[in-house]
Amino acid sequence: MSAHAAEQDHRPAGWRRWLLSTNHKDIGTLYLVLSVTAGVVGAAISFLIRAELQQPGMQFLENQEQFYNVLVTAHGVIMVFFVVMPALIGGFGNWFVPLMIGAPDMAFPRLNNISFWLLAAALVLLVASANIDQGPGTGWTVYPPLSTSGHPGAGVDFAILALHLAGASSVLGAINFITTILNMRAPNLTMMRLPLFVWSMLLTSLLLVLAIPILAGALTMLLTDRNFGTTFFNPAGGGDPVFYQHLFWFFGHPEVYIMILPAFGIVSHVVATFSRKPIFGHKGMIYAMMAIAVIGFMVWAHHMFTVGMNVTGRVYFTAATLVIAVPTGVKIFSWIATLWGGSIQLRVPLLWALGFIFLFTVGGVTGVVLANGGLSVALHDSYYVVAHFHYVLSLGAVFAMFAGFYYWIGKMTGRPYPEGLGRLHFWLTFIGVNLTFFPMHFMGLAGMQRRVPDYPDAFAGWNQVASTGAWISVASVLVFLVVLWRIFSARERVAANPWGEGATTLEWTVPSPAPFHTFTHQPVIEASPAPHWLNDGA
Amino acid sequence: MRIVGGGGGILLGVLAPGVVWAGQPLPWQIGLQPAASPVMEDVVALHGYVLIVIIGVACLVMGLLGFVIWRFNARRNPTPATWCHHTLLEIVWTVVPVLILTAIAVPSFRLLYRQDHIPPADLTLKVEGHQWYWSYAYPDLGISFDANMVETDQLQAGEPRLLTADAPVVVPVGQVVRVQLTADDVLHSWAVPALGVRTDTVPGRLNESWFQVKEPGLYYGFCAELCGVRHAYMPIVVRAVPEEAFKAWVQERKVAQNPSPQHGNPPLFEISALDPESDPSLMEDCHRVKGEKPFGPPEANDGCVYFPPPYVLPPAEAPRMMPGG
């Protein structure tokens, strides 16, 4: 078989394989390694934060409030740009988009390489920023004037450049995904037949290409305000700090959908596979994601209800934000309808996906509360907001990342994951994060503001509970590291398709682990009947 | 930056018998602080209503998930169904949420307009955020002072830690207080949960909000926008008192302020930025003609209209303008 022999052709050895890689699977692996590494750092920072907040009064950061702010900033930036995005987009996207559309690689393999290494450079800059002068204590939003006149040290410049590089990395990656998905699909794999993970990656990439340049513009103006005497955001020179907030959130709100759309895609695949049914309402799911992507660009100022926006603006942004609940609801109900009538196997990936559905719903409904501009006088910048976005991201995106990890790890490594430890990992995480974040709703309602290293004594009880949850999460991270060790030391190997008839997309047709080169010959997809992941002639 | 003479502390003692309400968080509290103003009453009502809706939705999803896991697991249902469409169902779960959201949007819009409409004000309070304290002014009464946090080791019995300021904002019960807010360095946010006020203070902008306290009492707040190292240490205390007590406080405050016009505020702008010669009214009204009186910080809120307004940075610090800017 010549095709089989070609599977390992031109495979460089040693460091060249990784540093100079143009192979989508190797680059995907690099992204995943970076994500896990940054994830351990980001999680360690959050445990430091919870340790400081465990009791009222300063625990171990006495007179180091600036360092606390640096920790808060680093936690946010690391989790968004160096954990969630590299895992969901760079990692799973690189690995599985070409496999799912029957393409041999990404459209621009060298661009793919620079995308990854720009991100690695960005991470270096970010870590450096925390150690230069007093570090960036601005929050991940980098609002001026705190980020300009409020932080004279070069730490903030390093953080801004880190975000710049991470943004460039994302845009290049997104261009690659869009080109790949539009041009390299196997024959008869029409757009409406594309698996939902591929659709989610396409829409996420479009959001990135449209949103990141706005961030880049805002960050560049910050840099020149800081270093070259411009006054884009300084009222003394005719600028306006609120202008920055508009620019930031015009990027920042699509950014949250950039993080969650790939999660939607993964959950759809996992739910369909383990209920042994095609996804319910494939078209409706695509339209729902499109609607979320479009509306996601029209709601940015709901992050700014208290800046003194005029009432018409607040009414509009309230209405537009409420609308997002409709397509999101369509997705939740379609997942449940997929499970309905299925033959459900409660394997570890499905546990994470079910956890995602429920916890994302909880985070979604508190989003409906926060959408009401009128309630912002009680909730804006409170711990209620912290609870909300950790429910959709820490318990949403991260649960989907683990669903994808357990779902595809056999395909990526050829080795099985330990089922029992996987379950333990799930339950520890589920209990830990809920115990951490659910009480934050209460703190926020009672009036505890964000980004403080100390709080009034009345909040002691719920903070103690939240920190206890964090210690359970520490245990879950350790269990995950044991899971990783067990996977990579396993002697058994998994079949091409370990999940049976429910796993229908093309990545399950290639061997496990997926060979270095796949689909060097185009796979055949019939015009009719429809592929198995669709239920009918869609 | 402490206020002169610790008048606030004395006053707290004098007015203590009037306190019937404490707007502050309680241990293990799980809901909003009780409403002490009309706006907050509406906020509490809307939140209670939306909370019922979202608990219903969350329970529905949890119930459905639990049911499918129990009913359709592989043991109980070995053969999966093949259907994957149900147009009517899809229409229902699109239209019903739209109706629910409409039912939320209508009262939500009403609340927004109600918050925005400031009734005729009885009193104007100016708030200026600084790193890391608040300055307050009652422009119509000629009162102004700064409020810093009382450090833990200086708290009196019963004063909550991190929430106690050395000078409360005293307001008369039942009167409409218009709040005008700005900042002179970075962003801050003036938040008093029980009064339903949370408005950012933005350099170069003048924001407006309002409240009307229903009951005498102490209402505690904080800075709600990350503003640097001491962000957590910018408490707000609003003390609502009957009108007579308020008048007494105003008198006491004026006396406390008079001996020294230097009340601790750093000069917001150099007086030389004004040009009395080109604007005679400035000279006449504001008794600050060169030669008669040394230049210094303006008497805050002495009834003069200053231009540029105090929320514009001093010209000495103003960066060069951009070409065309």
Side-chain angles (χ1 to χ4, degrees):
Chain A
M1 272 183 62
S2 61
H4 187 74
E7 278 169 357
Q8 303 296 335
D9 274 359
H10 307 295
R11 175 169 164 165
W15 61 271
R16 287 168 180 276
R17 174 179 172 190
W18 302 105
L19 188 65
L20 309 178
S21 183
T22 54
N23 180 290
H24 71 103
K25 302 184 192 78
D26 280 357
I27 293 174
T29 303
L30 285 171
Y31 270 110
L32 289 174
V33 169
L34 182 135
S35 171
V36 170
T37 311
V40 170
V41 176
I45 292 175
S46 53
F47 300 140
L48 285 179
I49 293 173
R50 281 315 323 165
E52 176 53 56
L53 295 175
Q54 185 154 4
Q55 285 161 359
M58 298 303 278
Q59 310 306 311
F60 64 98
L61 291 178
E62 188 80 43
N63 295 323
Q64 296 186 62
E65 285 85 356
Q66 174 67 16
F67 183 60
Y68 179 85
N69 292 346
V70 171
L71 287 179
V72 168
T73 309
H75 171 73
V77 175
I78 286 176
M79 288 304 194
V80 170
F81 290 96
F82 300 97
V83 178
V84 174
M85 289 173 69
L88 290 176
I89 304 172
F92 295 137
N94 262 308
W95 254 96
F96 294 105
V97 164
L99 285 179
M100 285 183 183
I101 64 174
D105 205 309
M106 295 288 281
F108 307 120
R110 287 166 190 269
L111 191 68
N112 210 4
N113 177 290
I114 195 73
S115 297
F116 173 76
W117 287 108
L118 278 177
L119 191 67
L123 184 56
V124 171
L125 279 181
L126 183 74
V127 172
S129 79
N131 299 298
I132 291 171
D133 293 330
Q134 355 91 310
T138 59
W140 84 289
T141 49
V142 210
Y143 278 180
L146 185 61
S147 63
T148 51
S149 56
H151 271 79
V156 175
D157 295 310
F158 272 70
I160 290 172
L161 290 171
L163 290 173
H164 254 318
L165 284 193
S169 153
S170 300
V171 169
L172 297 181
I175 291 169
N176 215 342
F177 279 116
I178 294 170
T179 316
T180 306
I181 294 168
L182 294 184
N183 292 302
M184 296 175 66
R185 284 167 286 132
N188 289 328
L189 195 51
T190 58
M191 289 306 284
M192 289 314 282
R193 285 177 158 195
L194 276 183
L196 290 177
F197 180 68
V198 180
W199 259 109
S200 73
M201 288 302 305
L202 177 64
L203 290 167
T204 280
S205 302
L206 287 169
L207 292 186
L208 278 168
V209 166
L210 292 172
I212 293 278
I214 312 293
L215 173 70
L219 290 175
T220 305
M221 286 185 250
L222 267 190
L223 270 183
T224 61
D225 268 15
R226 286 175 55 79
N227 299 298
F228 305 113
T230 58
T231 56
F232 292 107
F233 308 128
N234 182 351
D240 183 2
V242 175
F243 172 46
Y244 174 85
Q245 298 184 26
H246 279 289
L247 291 174
F248 182 85
W249 288 112
F250 192 85
F251 147 81
H253 198 79
E255 172 69 20
V256 305
Y257 295 109
I258 286 164
M259 289 189 275
I260 210 66
L261 282 173
F264 288 166
I266 291 172
V267 168
S268 296
H269 285 240
V270 171
V271 164
T273 296
F274 294 97
S275 49
R276 290 202 284 153
K277 260 180 77 192
I279 195 79
F280 180 96
H282 186 83
K283 272 185 196 163
M285 291 292 242
I286 294 172
Y287 293 142
M289 284 195 284
M290 284 180 180
I292 290 170
V294 171
I295 304 167
F297 269 106
M298 296 158 60
V299 298
W300 73 92
H302 68 210
H303 297 268
M304 304 162 52
F305 278 137
T306 60
V307 297
M309 204 190 322
N310 124 348
V311 69
T312 321
R314 277 179 286 158
V315 166
Y316 162 73
F317 283 107
T318 296
T321 306
L322 287 171
V323 168
I324 287 200
V326 176
T328 314
V330 167
K331 296 200 70 73
I332 300 276
F333 292 124
S334 295
W335 286 321
I336 294 174
T338 306
L339 292 159
W340 198 283
S343 181
I344 298 170
Q345 298 167 299
L346 265 185
R347 302 292 298 276
V348 174
L350 186 63
L351 279 180
W352 289 99
L354 294 173
F356 171 92
I357 295 172
F358 176 59
L359 298 172
F360 189 78
T361 303
V362 175
V365 295
T366 57
V368 170
V369 175
L370 290 168
N372 296 285
L375 298 183
S376 281
V377 295
L379 301 175
H380 181 88
D381 257 340
S382 76
Y383 257 78
Y384 195 91
V385 176
V386 177
H388 161 71
F389 68 71
H390 280 94
Y391 261 82
V392 288
L393 292 177
S394 177
L395 290 73
V398 170
F399 271 49
M401 279 160 54
F402 282 122
F405 172 83
Y406 285 100
Y407 184 55
W408 283 318
I409 191 67
K411 181 57 61 188
M412 294 189 286
T413 64
R415 298 153 201 261
Y417 64 84
E419 190 79 22
L421 274 177
R423 283 173 191 281
L424 180 66
H425 179 210
F426 169 79
W427 284 111
L428 277 178
T429 311
F430 186 85
I431 294 166
V433 291
N434 276 294
L435 212 51
T436 304
F437 295 114
F438 203 81
M440 290 185 186
H441 295 115
F442 304 148
M443 299 175 203
L445 286 169
M448 178 168 162
Q449 77 272 45
R450 291 172 72 179
R451 294 167 164 171
V452 287
D454 193 3
Y455 45 81
D457 301 341
F459 299 118
W462 289 124
N463 271 291
Q464 177 73 54
V465 173
S467 290
T468 307
W471 306 131
I472 297 174
S473 303
V474 173
S476 82
V477 172
L478 296 177
V479 170
F480 177 62
L481 295 178
V482 174
V483 166
L484 280 179
W485 174 72
R486 285 283 302 276
I487 289 169
F488 286 99
S489 63
R491 293 174 181 279
E492 311 92 78
R493 293 294 181 266
V494 296
N497 178 1
W499 306 127
E501 59 181 289
T504 49
T505 38
L506 287 181
E507 79 268 31
W508 304 110
T509 64
V510 304
S512 297
F516 196 64
H517 297 296
T518 41
F519 297 129
T520 46
H521 296 275
Q522 258 178 355
V524 178
I525 292 173
E526 303 291 343
S528 178
H532 293 300
W533 61 83
L534 303 171
N535 48 311
D536 55 30
Chain B
M1 301 289 173
R2 294 290 296 253
I3 56 157
V4 178
I10 297 164
L11 227 96
L12 284 174
V14 172
L15 299 177
V19 175
V20 296
W21 193 300
Q24 61 174 305
L26 302 172
W28 301 104
Q29 182 171 337
I30 63 169
L32 292 166
Q33 291 185 19
S37 74
V39 164
M40 192 58 189
E41 279 176 354
D42 292 356
V43 167
V44 171
L46 180 67
H47 178 262
Y49 165 62
V50 180
L51 185 64
I52 291 168
V53 175
I54 68 168
I55 287 176
V57 171
C59 288
L60 174 72
V61 171
M62 186 164 57
L64 287 172
L65 276 179
F67 177 76
V68 292
I69 292 168
W70 168 76
R71 173 63 186 82
F72 298 108
N73 72 62
R75 265 179 310 235
R76 194 177 288 268
N77 195 40
T79 316
T82 54
W83 52 266
C84 286
H85 275 303
H86 196 294
T87 308
L88 180 65
L89 203 54
E90 290 183 72
I91 291 172
V92 167
W93 71 45
T94 307
V95 173
V96 171
V98 168
L99 296 177
I100 294 174
L101 291 171
T102 309
I104 291 175
V106 171
S108 180
F109 294 167
R110 199 180 296 142
L111 172 61
L112 277 169
Y113 283 109
R114 178 137 185 210
Q115 287 169 334
D116 187 61
H117 174 75
I118 304 181
D122 303 308
L123 183 68
T124 299
L125 173 68
K126 283 170 70 176
V127 176
E128 187 170 325
H130 305 265
Q131 286 178 316
W132 290 273
Y133 63 96
W134 300 102
S135 332
Y136 298 105
Y138 297 70
D140 308 326
L141 304 174
I143 295 173
S144 67
F145 54 89
D146 294 338
N148 283 274
M149 185 179 77
V150 176
E151 296 295 337
T152 306
D153 53 8
Q154 290 163 22
L155 288 172
Q156 313 277 319
E159 290 181 340
R161 199 178 62 88
L162 299 184
L163 286 175
T164 304
D166 58 8
V169 175
V170 179
V171 295
V173 166
Q175 296 196 6
V176 173
V177 181
R178 171 174 53 200
V179 193
Q180 297 184 326
L181 310 99
T182 189
D184 92 322
D185 37 41
V186 303
L187 301 174
H188 304 271
S189 186
W190 200 75
V192 186
L195 301 181
V197 181
R198 182 177 311 236
T199 303
D200 293 1
T201 67
V202 183
R205 286 195 175 216
L206 190 64
N207 278 339
E208 214 169 38
S209 182
W210 71 283
F211 62 84
Q212 182 182 21
V213 192
K214 293 187 309 172
E215 302 285 345
L218 284 170
Y219 303 91
Y220 294 93
F222 44 81
C223 173
E225 180 64 59
L226 179 61
C227 58
V229 175
R230 290 179 61 81
H231 165 53
Y233 311 138
M234 290 179 65
I236 297 161
V237 181
V238 175
R239 165 176 286 273
V241 296
E243 191 166 359
E244 288 310 308
F246 178 71
K247 282 179 178 159
W249 175 77
V250 169
Q251 284 312 314
E252 186 186 345
R253 173 56 71 184
K254 278 184 169 166
V255 170
Q257 232 170 257
N258 256 352
S260 160
Q262 300 287 340
H263 41 76
N265 268 326
L268 290 172
F269 60 96
E270 292 296 327
I271 199 72
S272 56
L274 306 173
D275 184 4
E277 302 198 356
S278 68
D279 187 354
S281 69
L282 212 56
M283 210 167 12
E284 217 173 285
D285 293 338
C286 293
H287 45 79
R288 276 179 196 284
V289 184
K290 204 170 187 173
E292 285 185 25
K293 195 175 176 185
F295 281 91
E299 302 268 359
N301 316 302
D302 52 4
C304 302
V305 177
Y306 288 105
F307 189 85
Y311 49 85
V312 173
L313 290 180
E317 284 176 35
R320 294 176 299 281
M321 300 293 280
M322 292 297 291

